[in-house]
Amino acid sequence: QVQLVESGGGLVQPGGSLRLSCAASGRFVSINFMGWYRQAPGKQRELVARIINGGSTSYADSVKGRFTISRDNAKNTVYLQMNSLKPEDTAVYFCNAGVQRLFDTREYWGQGTPVTVSS
């Protein structure tokens, strides 16, 4: 079993910053990709950012230039640095990882961490 544990969410004023962390633990061979999704009230879950093996990254257009995803392979941890936060960034943020197990690959999700951007 693989677990993803997120931390770092909270309340921040518009223009502020937060850093989310997600640590993977359990039994697996490697992690193929890690990323962040978010889901605002009444909306569908959307991809925010993803980082794959080799370090290539991709971002939603709405966060380009403001958010940065990074990964510490030694710690099996992915980070999302969020700057210049806007009220529309308010959502529950979910960590996602594609994991290579001994005989198959699977995707896992964290439990979600809420981010509220409000004055």
Side-chain angles (χ1 to χ4, degrees):
Q1 186 69 7
V2 175
Q3 290 185 326
L4 302 178
V5 179
E6 303 127 329
S7 61
L11 173 64
V12 64
Q13 292 187 342
S17 298
L18 281 176
R19 189 175 86 148
L20 306 182
S21 300
C22 171
S25 62
R27 300 183 67 177
F28 52 88
V29 174
S30 63
I31 300 176
N32 297 328
F33 63 85
M34 297 187 82
W36 292 92
Y37 284 71
R38 68 186 179 186
Q39 188 166 18
K43 295 188 176 181
Q44 289 188 332
R45 191 174 295 189
E46 63 174 355
L47 177 65
V48 177
R50 175 176 288 182
I51 184 166
I52 65 174
N53 281 347
S56 295
T57 58
S58 58
Y59 297 91
D61 288 343
S62 58
V63 307
K64 283 181 181 177
R66 300 187 298 121
F67 291 10
T68 302
I69 190 169
S70 61
R71 180 175 164 181
D72 185 333
N73 292 328
K75 297 181 179 179
N76 293 319
T77 298
V78 65
Y79 306 95
L80 185 68
Q81 178 66 44
M82 305 185 293
N83 298 329
S84 302
L85 282 161
K86 305 175 180 180
E88 50 263 43
D89 294 317
T90 295
V92 178
Y93 285 70
F94 296 89
C95 179
N96 169 256
V99 173
Q100 178 68 51
R101 305 193 305 176
L102 193 58
F103 298 112
D104 63 4
T105 59
R106 283 193 59 183
E107 280 195 49
Y108 291 89
W109 292 88
Q111 78 284 358
T113 184
V115 171
T116 302
V117 184
S118 175
S119 55

